Amino acid sequence: MMAELQPAVSFRGLQRARTTLEDFVCSYFPLHGLSVHQDLFLYLDVLVYVEGVVYSMDEENERATQAGKASLSGPLQGEQLLISILSQQQLLSDRISAELQQGREYWALERQLCAIMGHPGGNSKLRLDDIQRASWAKSFDYRVLNLLLYQLTHKAVDEGLMDFLRLDEHLVDIGDDLVDYEDDIMANSFNIFRGYVHLYGRDAELRLVEHITSCEEAHQKLLQQLPSSTQEKWQRRKKEASSVPGSEKWSFPQPILDEHAYRQASAGADDDALQDFKRLRQTSPE
């Protein structure tokens, strides 16, 4: 069967891809000089297919992490088919191949790190370098989509913009991880703050703030190096995406030092017990 006729996207994958694609189109199309309303359908098939396959693979990887598996017996389903489709469409550049490799590395790191964090007593095996590498690789799909737009519009890659967006994506991922922290513990998913808590305990927030501050300083410098028109487009989108009051500020959840106890309290479906656990966590001595 020809590659373009083979199924590789789950409905759940498409559902999860929808939010990412909406953000990508609204954020990145203007940076390419494209109109969301006029140009979207020119590239919709490629963008939806690629992101849908990526999320379908992510679903498979998450099932592995939930089961505590540190490795897989073979590649994630859809990976080879995605590569074949991009190659047939003459869209598989070396840069896109490199970002897809980043995706493989992210999923492998997620399995390894979550297998450690999901079991008590495994923290000695954690390394900050692995946690950082996983976090930096996490938004590989945005970079794949962005590079695809350069391919589809036959434009040269803007390296300065790519460097800025890579850092911007990393900061956004950190913010998302802070919001999703407790859910990621329950799902045994990778989360940079979760990793920092396992490494540094109650000092996790301070350590992560140091990293965020360093990234924000570099982020501002890279932004200032972009053309003024590009800066304005990015600032406009940032304002739109931060319309909720306080959403532009960093908000850290209380660190969960005993994930096993937290899961037990949560799994009991007893809201009062869970709230008692949270209150105890908040009032525990430093």
Side-chain angles (χ1 to χ4, degrees), residues 81-105:
L81 188 56
L82 175 59
I83 292 173
S84 295
I85 291 291
L86 292 177
S87 180
Q88 288 178 9
Q89 298 299 313
Q90 298 183 331
L91 294 172
L92 188 64
S93 66
D94 290 342
R95 292 284 294 273
I96 290 175
S97 295
E99 290 299 340
L100 290 174
Q101 177 60 30
Q102 281 279 292
R104 295 187 200 99
E105 292 177 5

Side-chain angles (χ1 to χ4, degrees), residues 13-27:
L14 285 174
Q15 285 183 311
R16 292 183 62 197
R18 181 178 57 194
T19 302
T20 297
L21 286 169
E22 179 183 5
D23 177 62
F24 175 80
V25 169
C26 292
S27 300

Side-chain angles (χ1 to χ4, degrees), residues 47-59:
L47 299 179
V48 170
Y49 179 79
V50 170
E51 192 64 9
V53 173
V54 166
Y55 266 110
S56 296
M57 290 192 288
D58 191 63
E59 287 282 323

